Every structure is written in C-alpha cells, then in structure tokens.
Amino acid sequence: MKYVSTRGHAANQSFTDILLEGLAPDGGLSVPEQWPRVMPVKLEAMRDLPYPRLAFEIVRFFADDFPGAALKSACEKTYTKEIFGSPEITPLRTLEPNLHILGLSNGPTLAFKDIALQLIGNLFEHELAAQDRNLNVVGATSGDTGSAAEHALKGKPRVNVFMLSPQGRMSPFQRAQMFSLQEANIHNIAVEGVFDECQDVVKAINADAGFKEEHAIGAVNSINWARVVAQVVYYFKGYFAATSSNDEQVSFAVPSGNFGNIFAGYVAKKMGLPIRRLVLATNENDVLDEFFRTGRYRPRKAAETQETSSPSMDISKASNFERFIWDIVDGDGDKVAWLWEQVAQKGGFDLSTDRAWEKVEEDSGFVSGRSLHEDRVETIRLVKKKYNQVIDPHTADGVKVALRQREPRYPMICLETALPVKFDATIVEALGEHAPRPPQFEGLEKLPQRFTTMKPDPEALKDYIRSNH
Ligand SMILES: *Cc1c(COP(=O)(O)O)cnc(C)c1O
C-alpha cells in the first residue's frame, strides 16, 4: 500500500513512513493511493472474528509493510477486556428495533479516542524500537485527545509526552484524568491562556525545523493516518453486530468535530461495507453541516467558534475534511491545493456546481444535521425516559440528528463518543441527577496531581523540553 499527499506533491511513502509523521512535506495529508476492497467472501469470513483479530485483518490492508507478527501482537495487547471493559470492546446496545448505540467509550479515558490511541501507543513502541529512535510528542488539548494520548503512551520507553492545556478550562474530571498520572514520561503543562494560545505555542515549536529535528518532536493529532485506520474497525464490528447477513445495509450517526471518526466510516464504505447513510451531526459550530447541505465550505475563525456543552465538537476547521475532498475530486492533488488556496484567499470554496458535488449527493452516503444546546438536553432526557439510558452530550447530538434522518427499514447505529460522567454538569442540567460513574473512577478528582504552569511562550516550552528528556 503506497501513500500519497492530498496536495499531490509528496513522494510515495509506506505506512511505517507516515506512522510517526504529521503533515506531508507539501502541506497536505497522507492518503492511500487507492482504497482496498473487501470481497464478499472475505467479509463473510470477518463476521464472527473477535475484535483483536478483526482489527488485525483490517489494519493489515493499510499497513502491509508493518511486520505481521508485530501488528498481530499489538492488536491482541490493545483490545482486551482489561482495557476496554468487555470482550466485545465496542458493545452494541439496542434501544428499540433498528435503533442502536455502539459503545466506543469504555476505554481508560471514557471517550472513543482510546480505541485508536491505545493501538497507536503499541505501534509506536514497536516502530521506535525498530528504527532505534526516540520521540517527544508535543500537543495541545482542550480535553479528550490529550488524556487519551497520555494514557496510551504513559510508561512507554523512547517516548515523552508534553501536553499543553488551558489552565482552569477543562472539566474537573478531565483535568484529574491527565494530571493524576505519575509516570515520569508524561509532562502536563497548564498554560496561562486559552486553547488557541496553547495551539499557537505548539505550532511555533513545529515551525522551528532545527529544534524539531534536534529534539525529535512528533505528534499524535487527529490527522495521524493510523488513527483513522484504527477507527475503521468498529464500523465493521458495529455492522456485524446489528445485522444477520451481509445483504443488509445499515446507517451510522456520528457526532463530528475534526471529521476523523466519520471519515473512518467513509473509508469502511469505500472498502465495500454495506453502509447506507453516514449521518454527520454538528453542534452550534456547523461548518460541516453547511457543506453537506449546500456544497459551500466556509471554515470559521477561532474567534467565531462557540463554546458549547459538547465541547469536543467545538471545531470550525475540520482537519480530516481535506482527505474527503481529495477523494471526491478523484485524487486530483492540484485541485485540492487550489481549493485550499481559495480558503486562504477568499475564506472558502463552493463545489455546488462542480462535478464532485454529484458524487457527494449520489454516492457518498453523507447526510447531515445540527443539534443545539436545547436539542442535546432534550435528547438526553428523552433517551433516559424512553430507554432508561444516560448518554453524554456529544452522543446526544448524534442521536438527535439520527432520529431526524432515520429510515425505518434500515438499522441506525449511533456512535457513543464519550461516557456522560465526563460532562456531568450537562447531565445534571438535563436530568437533575449526576451521571453514573464507573467504579474505577471513584475519587479520581482527589488523587494527587502533577503539572507545571507556564506562560503561552514557545521559548519557555523549548527550555522545558530541553531539560526534561
Ligand atoms: C473528539 C470527539 C468528537 C469528534 O470526533 P472527530 O473525529 O474529531 O470528528 C466527538 N465527541 C467526542 C466526545 C470527542 O472526544
């Protein structure tokens, strides 16, 4: 499997070449030259595989240069009952006939990001040893990504994590999940500023090529291709759990921010999984909903991004979206580069009269919708009352839009992207009671915390990195 850049100018690379990298050298994102197809016989053979084996079979399509035995043992080590709470890893719960929730959030940090990052931690471990390299992961987080990355990389040899977060802006639960880690390779940095300032500091570090090279700076952000691949697996798992034969079609509803989760569903569809609709849900920050309704893409500036009660979707520039555009313009890298030039110069682009738009409407499977604060509160109440289940605010956005886009004949699978305990304030607002807390998280906020505070200053961070690895 060869990888190219969405902007067409990067040389052929392999999976292991791109595993530890961020952007392609021409500023684009890495994508496979063509989509692997799962033949019907193979799909049938996958139906009853346990999760680790299914993960191996699917990731292998995209990672044919990663040693098979190492990939297999990474999948087996990652997808266990001990780490994800059940042998199914992503159990399906049925609310009523043809309406399901796929539990993706039973890993160590209670958000779906664990599914990909736990595997990445093990793939990194193998690859760094094979290449005899070290890596200093530097990132900024407003909550879920940072803690999932830290829990995946804590205690691993050859890796340090430097994670910036805006001081006092995460929920007490999220802060405790990160700051209570005592492993020496985890460095939590509470920045006296907002999330955008954290991100600017990380960008400044990455713009300093000399420093980056000398200190082996890396990332595990949402454009990492291996994260997308690891997420493809649970679309297959969910499909098999909701159907009894491969003649059936199902739809998926996905609360979206950076477009990484739902893009993995699109990849599954491209591989031949019988997916009918991919229902994209946004919150108040509705750039992607606007695109899928109108063909116009108008990313907003950071200052126009609203803070909402589904904070992990407060994103107005979805980083993985470029991969989708690349696919619908038939892999024309020059065209992708031109479209992103339009974004830089004119603030967006309009594909509604382009040939590519017909593909979006006719065979991409995408439909979309938007859910606001009142919608999510109401949906949390409805699901509790009607089905006696408590869902988190992000999942509620997905369920809200799913109910609007549902076709009675086809199963609808709503992806559960976090557990409600992470966002307890909204649960209390909706239900007048606290979210259920898994027993292993009792007393989490009272554990001793370990972190450093810092001004939003790239030089201060560089000094800190120099003296801490
Ligand atoms: C990250 C996240 C999302 C958004 O997922 P994308 O892959 O960025 O679209 C939705 N819900 C929760 C809880 C998240 O942590």
Side-chain angles (χ1 to χ4, degrees):
M1 171 73 63
K2 284 288 170 206
Y3 287 86
V4 296
S5 163
T6 49
R7 305 218 182 155
H9 291 284
N12 280 351
Q13 292 184 300
S14 70
F15 182 81
T16 53
D17 292 333
I18 62 171
L19 177 62
L20 305 172
E21 308 298 331
L23 287 178
D26 63 356
L29 280 68
S30 299
V31 274
E33 211 167 32
Q34 80 270 326
W35 302 114
R37 290 287 299 184
V38 180
M39 294 302 149
V41 181
K42 173 95 179 166
L43 192 63
E44 198 47 51
M46 285 176 165
R47 177 168 278 276
D48 296 317
L49 293 181
Y51 199 101
R53 188 58 205 273
L54 181 65
F56 169 67
E57 296 291 341
I58 287 168
V59 177
R60 192 160 67 147
F61 279 111
F62 296 94
D64 51 6
D65 68 322
F66 200 96
L71 181 59
K72 199 166 185 192
S73 81
C75 291
E76 280 164 5
K77 193 172 157 193
T78 304
Y79 298 115
T80 65
K81 178 169 177 285
E82 287 64 41
I83 299 175
F84 287 96
S86 72
E88 292 91 351
I89 309 299
T90 59
L92 189 82
R93 315 197 297 271
T94 299
L95 299 182
E96 63 179 51
N98 281 353
L99 184 64
H100 312 276
I101 289 191
L102 188 63
L104 304 180
S105 304
N106 303 306
T109 73
L110 308 184
F112 83 97
K113 293 184 172 76
D114 287 328
I115 294 186
L117 284 166
Q118 287 286 319
L119 181 65
I120 294 232
N122 289 324
L123 296 181
F124 271 24
E125 185 170 357
H126 178 272
E127 195 55 26
L128 290 172
Q131 296 185 17
D132 190 19
R133 280 172 63 180
N134 295 322
L135 193 68
N136 290 303
V137 169
V138 179
T141 188
S142 56
D144 293 339
T145 307
S147 70
E150 290 187 353
H151 283 259
L153 296 172
K154 65 179 187 183
K156 295 255 187 252
R158 296 171 179 272
V159 191
N160 289 293
V161 180
F162 298 89
M163 192 58 67
L164 280 63
S165 56
Q167 191 170 25
R169 308 241 170 182
M170 289 186 291
S171 76
F173 188 93
Q174 287 178 310
R175 186 164 52 241
Q177 274 189 321
M178 293 176 64
F179 291 8
S180 66
L181 291 179
Q182 300 297 330
E183 283 79 1
N185 72 330
I186 301 298
H187 302 274
N188 282 302
I189 300 165
V191 173
E192 297 165 11
V194 295
F195 174 65
D196 282 325
E197 292 174 284
C198 299
Q199 227 171 6
D200 288 343
V201 172
V202 174
K203 277 190 198 143
I205 299 281
N206 279 295
D208 183 343
F211 182 85
K212 206 175 155 187
E213 167 96 36
E214 187 184 348
H215 296 281
I217 303 299
V220 283
N221 49 23
S222 59
I223 59 170
N224 183 294
W225 174 250
R227 280 181 70 178
V228 175
V229 172
Q231 291 169 182
V232 172
V233 178
Y234 52 70
Y235 284 88
F236 281 79
K237 186 74 182 168
Y239 174 81
F240 293 137
T243 59
S244 50
S245 100
N246 296 342
D247 303 329
E248 296 171 53
Q249 290 191 319
V250 306
S251 296
F252 288 90
V254 189
S256 293
N258 262 322
F259 201 72
N261 194 354
I262 201 164
F263 185 69
Y266 181 71
V267 173
K269 184 170 162 66
K270 283 274 169 179
M271 291 172 75
L273 190 69
I275 293 179
R276 182 168 171 85
R277 285 186 170 175
L278 289 162
V279 179
L280 180 143
T282 70
N283 64 16
E284 286 82 344
N285 299 293
D286 60 355
V287 175
L288 294 172
D289 177 43
E290 181 181 352
F291 174 77
F292 284 104
R293 281 187 297 100
T294 67
R296 281 195 303 276
Y297 177 61
R298 293 189 303 131
R300 320 277 196 264
K301 298 197 178 58
E304 295 163 328
T305 305
Q306 295 183 48
E307 271 186 50
T308 75
S309 48
S310 45
S312 300
M313 293 155 65
D314 292 348
I315 289 166
S316 298
K317 210 182 273 176
S319 48
N320 279 291
F321 186 63
E322 183 170 331
R323 289 190 160 115
F324 177 69
I325 296 295
W326 172 83
D327 193 61
I328 60 165
V329 302
D330 300 320
D332 181 347
D334 290 333
K335 185 157 178 181
V336 175
W338 183 80
L339 288 169
W340 258 264
E341 240 173 71
Q342 303 301 299
V343 172
Q345 288 168 12
K346 299 183 183 160
F349 56 74
D350 184 351
L351 286 185
S352 62
T353 55
D354 195 288
R355 214 156 35 89
W357 185 243
E358 285 165 33
K359 290 179 88 172
V360 177
E361 289 203 305
E362 278 155 32
D363 45 55
S364 75
F366 274 94
V367 293
S368 74
R370 174 172 92 124
S371 157
L372 308 178
H373 179 77
E374 310 79 81
D375 296 315
R376 86 186 58 96
V377 167
E378 214 173 83
T379 305
I380 291 168
R381 275 189 204 128
L382 171 95
V383 170
K384 171 78 199 237
K385 188 157 170 248
K386 204 161 166 194
Y387 308 110
N388 199 28
Q389 301 211 10
V390 183
I391 55 171
D392 104 290
H394 305 78
T395 307
D397 286 330
V399 170
K400 169 77 198 177
V401 179
L403 293 176
R404 221 185 280 146
Q405 294 284 0
R406 189 178 173 201
E407 302 161 289
R409 278 185 55 208
Y410 299 98
M412 173 67 77
I413 301 177
C414 303
L415 303 192
E416 180 174 53
T417 55
L419 290 198
V421 68
K422 293 193 93 165
F423 303 98
D424 191 47
T426 304
I427 303 305
V428 171
E429 178 184 342
L431 304 178
E433 60 188 61
H434 289 288
R437 181 178 282 244
Q440 67 272 33
F441 293 91
E442 282 313 330
L444 175 71
E445 293 90 336
K446 297 202 184 73
L447 295 175
Q449 300 195 348
R450 206 176 127 256
F451 63 96
T452 308
T453 33
M454 199 177 280
K455 295 241 178 315
D457 170 14
E459 293 310 315
L461 180 59
K462 284 181 194 170
D463 283 341
Y464 186 85
I465 293 172
R466 278 189 200 100
S467 49
N468 282 285
H469 75 83

